[in-house]
Amino acid sequence: MSPVLLQLYRDEDMSFAQLSAFTVSDDHERQVAVWNALPSWNRDAQSIRRALTEEMIAATDKRVQFIGGLAAYEQAGGAVKRDLFDDRNAGYATDAALVEKLVAEKLEASASNVRAEGWQWVECSATAPAGYHALKRHYPEAIALSEEDQAALDGAQTEYDELAELIENGVADDEAETKLAEVEKRIDAFNARTEGYSPEALEQAGAFVFLDYYGRLAIERGFVKPNEGAETEDEDDEGDGQPSGKGTQAPKVPSISHSAALIEDLTAHKTAALRIELANNPEVALVAVVHAMLLRVAYPYNTEQSALQLSLTHERLEPSIKDAESCKGLAAFNDLADNYGHHLPGNPADLFDWLLEQPQDSVLALLAFGAGHAVNAVEKKFTDRKKGIEQANQLGHALKMHMPDWFETTGDSYFKHVNRTTIELAVAEAKGSEAQLSVRAATKKSEAVTIADRLVNGSGWLPAPVRISSPEQTDEGKSSAEHEQFPQAAE
């Protein structure tokens, strides 16, 4: 630590939390410069740490995770900074250029395999290409298996179901999990043969190789860039003597659709999780409350909104959640409320004096508890809180939330509430195009729901409305746009 900062701590001009935040850097000049640069009202530990690491990449960043974590980065010669008071000892990569280089190399290795498939072009990027879903797209065509292969696929599927049932009932042997994985590989191999792209698609289209929202490798094939393939289409039009078709409406690309009622349900789950996470994080709660207050008092004519509905508004979530008893966030928050109820004075007239006698940590914990009540990210069909709902994602990132801890995508919680197209596309997004074929083969929606439930189970995939969206996804994933594009989504 810089002697200057240590003296400030000794003089009680700095708290221990603030002092410990500086240990992420051993550059004394940088430490003092950050302290002097931050305004007195914004010198909390998180702001200090963020200022010191703004040019570094956290170990939790999806790019670092994709390349194999900080161990792979260090093996490549990268330097790491670690916070002395970080229990997880996660650390930060200091060489952003090296991280990007390692990411690019790994993406390029996957892209070379995709190029071998014969596509006109293949592009790599560390994030999802902007607007790629709006491009014209070729889809794979179904290919019938031979009778021998179909019989083998049916047998493998039966074997998979039998093993899965044994494991679920707790009567399987020690090798069951290994056998199940082997059978699943056989099924995937057969399913891969059931579809393929036409020579025309390979000639006109290309593929994107990128990192998805969770930092996993994503490969999206069959996209046609504007003006590509136009020459071939014009030649075909001239050959048959028919109108060229210029100006005709392009075929609609299938998209995931959610009804207004389902968006309200999913965002209510998200709100419940945000509430309990904020209630258990006094440091972020203090920032959130002060942020909400300053928006009202320091910027009286601005249009920004906080996710917190102050002063203090608390809306019950039970009416918005289809099965309130299954909501983990709601149950945890109610348990926390019961716990605090045993400590607060019975007479509200005594509350102020009682609070004056409590340690600061206890008051901060109660501040977080109160702030948790005010969180509202529920998106109803008609709302004037769109910016507040968007800001809830910023709040979720500050809380370092892992939303799959609070919501699981199942048949009951999601798939039975959407149409067949959305079920297929959701499974494709979560598990890939091969898994989508399993859903498409179902004869009834109830069967599709069951198959989707099984495929997505344990994947951590979440519907867009319940996700804690990253800043770059906010504009692309606004669920308000879903209201405009899919007003007839099946409930």
Side-chain angles (χ1 to χ4, degrees):
M1 292 302 306
S2 163
V4 175
L5 300 185
L6 287 173
Q7 188 59 48
L8 287 172
Y9 174 65
R10 294 189 188 100
D11 295 340
E12 298 185 355
D13 292 328
M14 178 188 295
S15 69
F16 180 76
Q18 291 171 314
L19 185 70
S20 63
F22 281 100
T23 62
V24 74
S25 171
D26 54 7
D27 184 336
H28 289 185
E29 291 185 5
R30 176 67 174 159
Q31 290 174 355
V32 175
V34 166
W35 176 259
N36 293 332
L38 291 174
S40 59
W41 48 265
N42 193 34
R43 285 174 171 169
D44 59 277
Q46 186 176 1
S47 297
I48 293 169
R49 193 175 291 109
R50 183 168 55 246
L52 288 167
T53 60
E54 60 185 357
E55 297 179 357
M56 305 178 194
I57 301 178
T60 54
D61 188 283
K62 67 180 183 181
R63 292 167 294 176
V64 176
Q65 294 296 311
F66 176 68
I67 63 176
L70 287 180
Y73 162 79
E74 287 183 288
Q75 189 174 4
V80 175
K81 287 282 188 181
R82 288 187 167 88
D83 187 339
L84 181 64
F85 292 91
D86 181 4
D87 295 335
R88 297 174 300 168
N89 200 29
Y92 299 84
T94 61
D95 191 342
L98 178 59
V99 172
E100 296 292 353
K101 177 177 177 288
L102 295 174
V103 170
E105 289 175 351
K106 192 168 182 179
L107 286 172
E108 187 58 36
S110 298
S112 63
N113 295 328
V114 179
R115 289 191 183 95
E117 299 172 8
W119 295 103
Q120 185 187 75
W121 53 266
V122 176
E123 291 185 359
C124 298
S125 63
T127 58
Y132 78 98
H133 282 302
L135 297 176
K136 178 183 176 182
R137 185 176 188 180
H138 290 282
Y139 289 91
E141 300 174 356
I143 301 174
L145 292 174
S146 65
E147 292 184 4
E148 182 180 353
D149 286 346
Q150 186 61 54
L153 175 59
D154 293 341
Q157 188 63 61
T158 300
E159 184 180 354
Y160 181 93
D161 293 339
E162 291 173 352
L163 284 169
E165 184 176 358
L166 291 174
I167 293 172
E168 185 176 350
N169 293 332
V171 295
D173 57 32
D174 295 337
E175 299 180 356
E177 293 284 355
T178 303
K179 292 178 181 177
L180 188 70
E182 293 174 352
V183 174
E184 189 171 13
K185 289 181 180 178
R186 297 208 314 267
I187 292 173
D188 291 342
F190 280 118
N191 285 332
R193 302 182 198 171
T194 61
E195 64 178 15
Y197 290 90
S198 68
E200 292 79 9
L202 292 172
E203 181 181 352
Q204 298 175 15
F208 294 106
V209 179
F210 58 93
L211 300 186
D212 68 7
Y213 174 75
Y214 299 101
R216 300 171 302 196
L217 178 68
I219 301 174
E220 296 289 346
R221 300 172 173 87
F223 290 93
V224 179
K225 293 183 178 179
N227 300 324
E228 287 187 358
E231 182 178 348
T232 302
E233 293 173 3
D234 291 343
E235 290 175 357
D236 292 341
D237 291 339
E238 292 172 2
D240 59 16
Q242 298 297 321
S244 64
K246 292 181 179 178
T248 58
Q249 186 174 3
K252 184 176 181 181
V253 178
S255 301
I256 291 178
S257 59
H258 299 132
S259 67
L262 181 58
I263 289 176
E264 180 176 340
D265 174 88
L266 296 175
T267 51
H269 279 278
K270 177 178 177 178
T271 299
L274 282 163
R275 287 180 177 179
I276 182 62
E277 291 274 358
L278 186 65
N280 285 319
N281 195 318
E283 184 178 55
V284 175
L286 181 62
V287 173
V289 171
V290 173
H291 166 262
M293 292 177 177
L294 287 178
L295 286 179
R296 299 294 299 273
V297 300
Y299 311 92
Y301 302 107
N302 84 100
T303 59
E304 295 300 317
Q305 293 178 317
S306 168
L308 274 60
Q309 291 180 304
L310 297 176
S311 57
L312 184 77
T313 302
H314 174 60
E315 292 191 8
R316 293 183 59 81
L317 297 176
E318 287 84 345
S320 294
I321 300 179
K322 299 179 186 297
D323 184 9
E325 293 183 358
S326 69
C327 181
K328 295 180 181 179
L330 190 60
F333 194 85
N334 289 339
D335 290 343
L336 188 66
D338 290 340
N339 180 59
Y340 275 115
H342 295 308
H343 295 84
L344 297 176
N347 187 347
D350 300 331
L351 180 60
F352 184 80
D353 291 336
W354 180 83
L355 286 171
L356 290 176
E357 299 171 359
Q358 304 308 307
Q360 186 182 39
D361 288 348
S362 297
V363 178
L364 283 172
L366 286 168
L367 171 65
F369 175 60
H373 283 78
V375 176
N376 188 5
V378 177
E379 184 171 351
K380 299 186 178 181
K381 189 171 184 179
F382 301 104
T383 179
D384 60 351
R385 300 198 70 258
K386 290 184 179 179
K387 289 192 174 182
I389 293 168
E390 293 170 14
Q391 200 271 324
N393 293 312
Q394 189 178 15
L395 179 62
H397 282 288
L399 292 166
K400 298 180 181 179
M401 282 183 60
H402 185 240
M403 194 61 206
D405 291 344
W406 300 104
F407 181 87
E408 184 180 3
T409 306
T410 65
D412 289 333
S413 69
Y414 180 71
F415 289 115
K416 74 178 184 180
H417 304 293
V418 296
N419 57 33
R420 283 289 298 265
T421 299
T422 294
I423 294 175
E424 291 182 19
L425 293 172
V427 170
E429 186 175 293
K431 301 294 287 184
S433 56
E434 290 81 6
Q436 182 182 12
L437 291 176
S438 301
V439 177
R440 188 177 298 167
T443 56
K444 298 179 181 179
K445 179 183 175 180
S446 58
E447 295 177 3
V449 169
T450 302
I451 294 171
D453 186 301
R454 174 173 58 82
L455 290 172
V456 176
N457 180 41
S459 69
W461 182 87
L462 299 175
V466 81
R467 296 174 191 166
I468 303 297
S469 301
S470 59
E472 61 268 21
Q473 289 177 317
T474 302
D475 291 337
E476 297 176 12
K478 290 179 182 176
S479 52
S480 58
E482 294 176 357
H483 288 319
E484 298 170 4
Q485 295 177 13
F486 312 113
Q488 303 298 327
E491 172 64 15

